[in-house]
Amino acid sequence: MSAERQLTVLSREWCHLCHDLIEALKPLQAEYGFALQVVDVDADEALEARWNELVPVLLEGEVEICHHFLDEGAVRAHFQRIG
């Protein structure tokens, strides 16, 4: 996996949508070879204040790719843009 290919899921432990999004990412992760970091927004006041109602959120750095549900097309478009 390439160091520049890391996505982050802003998640909550009790959130079924979060678990669903993470599970749905697995085939794309295998295809594109990115690392996945899962961050609990409830453990960070700044993240919770910024992203609270949008969780789960899929990010690369500060760039939002999608939220609530996996947008496979947006993930594929993202990787086409970055190469």
Side-chain angles (χ1 to χ4, degrees):
M1 281 182 234
S2 174
E4 68 269 3
R5 288 190 174 214
Q6 178 173 307
L7 301 183
T8 301
V9 175
L10 300 180
S11 181
R12 290 191 159 103
E13 188 175 316
W14 50 266
C15 171
H16 76 88
L17 291 178
C18 300
H19 300 288
D20 291 349
L21 187 139
I22 292 165
E23 189 65 29
L25 277 169
K26 288 181 179 179
L28 291 170
Q29 189 176 19
E31 182 177 344
Y32 289 102
F34 59 87
L36 186 63
Q37 177 184 24
V38 178
V39 176
D40 184 352
V41 295
D42 295 325
D44 184 314
E45 289 181 17
L47 288 176
E48 185 178 15
R50 181 172 179 192
W51 299 103
N52 186 41
E53 295 298 319
L54 296 176
V55 171
V57 181
L58 181 63
L59 304 167
E60 181 183 48
E62 294 291 317
V63 176
E64 179 184 337
I65 299 172
C66 59
H67 63 268
H68 292 149
F69 303 97
L70 178 63
D71 182 341
E72 185 176 325
V75 173
R76 290 183 183 285
H78 171 76
F79 283 112
Q80 286 178 347
R81 277 192 306 275
I82 67 170

